[in-house]
Amino acid sequence: MAARAIRTVLTTVPDTESGARLCRALLAERLIACGTVLPGARSIYRWEGRVEDEAEAFVVLKTARSRVADLMQTIRGLHPYDVPEVLVLGVEAGDEAYTEWVVRETEPVGDDDGPAAAGRTDEP
């Protein structure tokens, strides 16, 4: 079942442009099939002994289970926060065509083959 082969990864960023930059970089490395940037998040948390109240954007990333370790490492290197929120959630079920697309789009591609060579499309 393809649904159990994918993961949803959650993170927050300071603003939507930071989220879009993160998504584009992760897509370029085929670490995610899709990133959704949601503006208007408000995070209230304790940091270094103080309660903070900050506007943020919420980012939902879709990836293959096999790409999670590389994805987390790359997020740590690119993320604007010193301690980024990165939570990985399992997927119990999902539309088969969508979940298969996520797995397909996150497969590493060698120099001799690209999406067209494998009969892939960019559509979910």
Side-chain angles (χ1 to χ4, degrees), residues 56-118:
E56 293 185 300
F58 188 67
V59 181
V60 182
L61 306 167
K62 283 67 83 174
T63 192
R65 179 180 60 206
S66 63
R67 301 295 274 158
V68 167
D70 289 339
L71 174 61
M72 290 182 69
Q73 180 178 353
T74 303
I75 288 173
R76 279 191 294 275
L78 296 175
H79 205 285
Y81 294 161
D82 291 338
V83 181
E85 170 188 358
V86 182
L87 302 173
V88 180
L89 307 175
V91 175
E92 196 61 34
D95 178 77
E96 188 174 345
Y98 180 81
T99 57
E100 288 174 356
W101 171 78
V102 170
V103 171
R104 210 171 41 245
E105 288 303 312
T106 54
E107 290 173 351
V109 176
D111 293 339
D112 294 338
D113 59 354

Side-chain angles (χ1 to χ4, degrees), residues 18-60:
S18 296
R21 276 194 305 273
L22 181 63
C23 289
R24 284 188 204 97
L26 298 171
L27 280 167
E29 297 295 320
R30 297 186 71 88
L31 292 170
I32 63 171
C34 177
T36 304
V37 181
L38 303 166
R42 181 177 175 186
S43 292
I44 303 168
Y45 56 96
R46 187 176 311 280
W47 182 253
E48 296 179 347
R50 293 188 316 263
V51 174
E52 303 288 340
D53 189 333
E54 300 289 334
E56 293 185 300
F58 188 67
V59 181
V60 182

